[in-house]
Amino acid sequence: MVRWLLLWAQRQKAAALLILRRGSLAPGRCCSSSSSRGPDMDDDVLRRTVSALPPYETREKPPALLEGPSREFVQFYQGLEAAGRPAFLAKLAAEYGAEHGLVSELCGRVTEAQGRGRDLGALLQAEDRLRHSLTPRYKLLINHISRLEGGVKFIVDLRADILQSLESKTADSPQLREMNGILKMLLSDWFSIGFLNLERITWQSSCDLLQKISEYEAVHPVRNWADIKRRVGPYRRCYVFTHNAMPREPLVVLHVALTDDISKNIQAIVRCGQSPELSEDVNKITTAVFYSISSSQRGLQGVELGNYLIKRVVKELQGEFPHMNQFSSLSPIPGFTIWLLGTLSVHIKEGKTNQIFTELEYKKIQDVIEGPVLETLKSLLTTNEWMRSDKLVRVLEMPLMRLCAWYLYGEKHRGAALNPVANFHLQNGAVLWRLNWLADTSPRGLSSSIGMMANYRYFLENTNHNSVQYLRTRHIEASEQILSLVTQCQKISKL
């Protein structure tokens, strides 16, 4: 065993010296374009940079890995063009995972140890050997990269590339999906709540941080510097989670409006903010409205961050405003318009002239628009032209509110709420509290949800119970308004 370890260490040292002689650590050395590289270059880099799995006997004190191979891997990967990365990742996942032959052999040893029955120590050791053998070789590389300066950010971006490859089908295999799962588990450990820092962003924060906050805003785009100044000014709060391994890089961003009541529309928040020079009147602040939460790192998808951020912010605000007694979101409803247009298409295709509206609603719509009702209405909703008619806006309010309530409450994906924003807040223990008509009349709001927004209200004494109930039974806690609209929809519309 000692001889094996010496040989293994010598190979690592030789590889590092080869890298140094070639000058591969110099800036730009590995930044060759995908057009000038081939499969042989990929294989060569992977052979040099991905180490063999150390023997089981040294699992607690593995030989220290040299930085050279890890840095070469990082520089080579960063030098690849986007089109060349999926194939490289697929090769890494397929050829540098666990050694299946060894895994199979150790599975047999576990079975033998179980057959003996009495020797529990031998069984546990056999299982531990098997567990060690299941470690993919690329995981050692990932762990070492994480110890380089900027390494954690590189791994987060690497997983973002994997997710993109899987979604676009440019590279999709069981091995790549396994790598994605392993990276997700690693990142979940590295970005657990104990390692995150809560920071409040103000106008005095660094320019680069304010710039990133503006660029990462995914819900209500920031228009200019005056806009971002309002969003971090009086009667507003902006909080981020950061991580020591990714300094000056916000992971998730939460914007909050401080008001005296739960807001019904977003225009009053993002377009009509108070003057940045105005002083806050603490007595007017009784309510916190979470109006935007954005994840800034695609590679952290599936890692719980947003729910922890809301909980931490609630505690922060309670400390600043002890009399604050209302906490609610003002949330978009992405996907509702697509779902609604799909529903209309199904009814049109099946020749159902009216199984969505009441007879009176159908007649009023027919009086306003020309042509076949469902076909014409679908066209008007697609182009947002329906907003040009005040009569049509009034006629559509009740039926579309009913349909939206059903969409949020009744449409499911694997038992959970189909709408991702609803699912997020319900998992946090919020109540589906109120639908707001024409709450977001921006082009984005109209195209996404016919201009509607939802309040998910956080009753702090019930959030834990609601969260447990939703996660266990998928029960959605909803207000009387929502339940009434859902009941009406079930009676009137044949969905």
Side-chain angles (χ1 to χ4, degrees):
M1 178 57 65
V2 172
R3 182 182 178 188
W4 190 98
L5 288 174
L6 287 172
L7 290 172
W8 187 87
Q10 288 172 359
R11 286 199 298 269
Q12 296 298 308
K13 183 177 180 180
L17 290 173
L18 178 62
I19 293 165
L20 289 170
R21 283 198 298 269
R22 292 180 176 180
S24 59
L25 295 183
R29 169 65 175 84
C30 293
C31 296
S32 57
S33 68
S34 58
S35 60
S36 62
R37 78 174 232 283
D40 290 343
M41 183 178 289
D42 289 356
D43 290 334
D44 189 35
V45 170
L46 291 174
R47 277 195 299 268
R48 291 198 306 269
T49 60
V50 186
S51 305
L53 185 69
Y56 173 77
E57 286 73 15
T58 65
R59 66 197 182 282
E60 294 180 358
K61 294 182 179 180
L65 294 176
L66 299 175
E67 289 189 3
S70 300
R71 290 192 183 280
E72 181 188 13
F73 180 92
V74 170
Q75 290 186 353
F76 179 82
Y77 185 81
Q78 290 176 335
L80 294 177
E81 293 182 354
R85 291 183 175 183
F88 182 77
L89 290 170
K91 182 181 287 290
L92 175 65
E95 299 180 14
Y96 294 87
E99 187 179 334
H100 300 303
L102 179 59
V103 170
S104 180
E105 177 187 337
L106 292 176
C107 283
R109 293 185 186 180
V110 170
T111 302
E112 289 177 11
Q114 288 175 327
R116 298 191 191 104
R118 298 180 179 179
D119 194 347
L120 180 60
L123 173 60
L124 293 177
Q125 187 180 60
E127 290 176 342
D128 197 37
R129 282 180 177 275
L130 175 60
R131 190 177 302 112
H132 177 71
S133 72
L134 288 168
T135 304
R137 290 174 60 185
Y138 58 72
K139 187 177 179 183
L140 302 179
L141 174 67
I142 294 299
N143 282 332
H144 190 58
I145 290 174
S146 71
R147 298 198 291 271
L148 300 176
E149 183 176 354
V152 171
K153 172 62 173 169
F154 172 82
I155 294 166
V156 171
D157 293 340
L158 181 78
R159 181 169 181 251
D161 289 345
I162 292 175
L163 290 170
Q164 175 62 29
S165 298
L166 292 173
E167 285 185 9
S168 64
K169 304 296 183 182
T170 51
D172 188 1
S173 65
Q175 297 98 326
L176 194 60
R177 290 194 292 272
E178 180 191 40
M179 180 189 283
N180 177 51
I182 287 172
L183 288 181
K184 179 183 174 182
M185 286 191 292
L186 285 173
L187 292 170
S188 295
D189 289 338
W190 298 345
F191 288 85
S192 63
I193 186 65
F195 299 127
L196 302 177
N197 306 311
L198 179 67
E199 294 185 24
R200 178 185 167 189
I201 305 301
T202 69
W203 190 240
Q204 283 67 47
S205 299
S206 64
C207 288
D208 66 316
L209 195 53
L210 287 167
Q211 180 69 27
K212 288 177 181 178
I213 298 297
S214 302
E215 293 173 352
Y216 290 148
E217 174 55 36
V219 184
H220 307 292
V222 176
R223 291 168 292 173
N224 47 44
W225 280 103
D227 192 5
I228 190 64
K229 189 174 184 179
R230 283 194 297 270
R231 297 192 194 194
V232 299
Y235 297 99
R236 300 290 182 267
R237 294 292 185 272
C238 177
Y239 296 94
V240 301
F241 265 152
T242 60
H243 192 283
N244 289 337
M246 293 173 58
R248 308 179 73 81
E249 188 68 49
L251 308 177
V252 59
V253 184
L254 178 65
H255 288 276
V256 188
L258 306 178
T259 68
D260 59 358
D261 200 5
I262 297 175
S263 304
K264 293 183 177 182
N265 72 78
I266 195 63
Q267 287 80 220
I269 293 177
V270 299
R271 296 181 186 175
C272 306
Q274 302 286 354
S275 168
E277 286 72 35
L278 188 69
S279 297
E280 291 177 349
D281 184 347
V282 175
N283 296 321
K284 293 182 179 180
I285 299 174
T286 61
T287 304
V289 178
F290 312 121
Y291 66 92
S292 174
I293 183 165
S294 301
S295 175
S296 62
Q297 307 295 324
R298 173 73 188 283
L300 294 178
Q301 179 179 309
V303 178
E304 297 291 347
L305 294 175
N307 55 349
Y308 293 131
L309 179 57
I310 287 179
K311 292 173 183 177
R312 287 280 300 275
V313 166
V314 166
K315 290 183 180 180
E316 191 82 4
L317 292 173
Q318 284 181 314
E320 187 177 1
F321 305 100
H323 60 287
M324 183 175 284
N325 55 22
Q326 293 190 119
F327 299 88
S328 174
S329 78
L330 180 59
S331 300
I333 312 173
F336 172 64
T337 299
I338 294 174
W339 175 86
L340 176 61
L341 295 177
T343 300
L344 290 173
S345 296
V346 169
H347 282 70
I348 293 168
K349 184 177 180 180
E350 295 178 355
K352 299 173 181 177
T353 55
N354 180 27
Q355 291 190 345
I356 295 178
F357 308 103
T358 65
E359 291 184 10
L360 180 58
E361 289 168 349
Y362 189 83
K363 185 178 183 305
K364 287 183 177 181
I365 296 171
Q366 201 170 36
D367 290 341
V368 176
I369 63 178
E370 298 178 357
V373 171
L374 296 187
E375 289 86 342
T376 307
L377 183 59
K378 179 184 174 184
S379 176
L380 293 173
L381 293 172
T382 301
T383 60
N384 295 332
E385 287 296 313
W386 65 281
M387 282 289 292
R388 294 179 178 275
S389 169
D390 292 339
K391 289 183 178 179
L392 191 56
V393 168
R394 289 194 298 270
V395 170
L396 289 177
E397 177 176 355
M398 185 51 64
L400 294 190
M401 289 273 283
R402 286 197 308 264
L403 290 165
C404 191
W406 171 257
Y407 168 73
L408 293 174
Y409 186 88
E411 292 293 322
K412 308 290 186 182
H413 174 66
R414 297 178 180 176
L418 173 66
N419 183 265
V421 177
N423 190 51
F424 170 79
H425 287 291
L426 294 170
Q427 284 184 346
N428 290 348
V431 173
L432 178 51
W433 189 65
R434 186 173 67 191
L435 275 181
N436 302 294
W437 179 246
L438 298 186
D440 183 1
T441 54
S442 69
R444 176 184 292 224
L446 292 171
S447 298
S448 175
S449 58
I450 316 296
M452 280 183 277
M453 300 186 76
N455 295 120
Y456 297 90
R457 189 165 175 183
Y458 287 80
F459 296 94
L460 302 185
E461 65 277 11
N462 297 327
T463 52
N464 286 338
H465 172 76
N466 293 345
S467 176
V468 170
Q469 286 292 101
Y470 180 73
L471 293 172
R472 285 181 178 175
T473 67
R474 300 305 188 187
H475 170 72
I476 295 178
E477 198 68 31
S479 67
E480 290 186 6
Q481 183 220 30
I482 300 297
L483 294 176
S484 175
L485 289 169
V486 168
T487 299
Q488 293 175 45
C489 187
Q490 289 174 316
K491 289 180 179 179
I492 296 169
S493 303
K494 310 298 182 183
L495 299 178

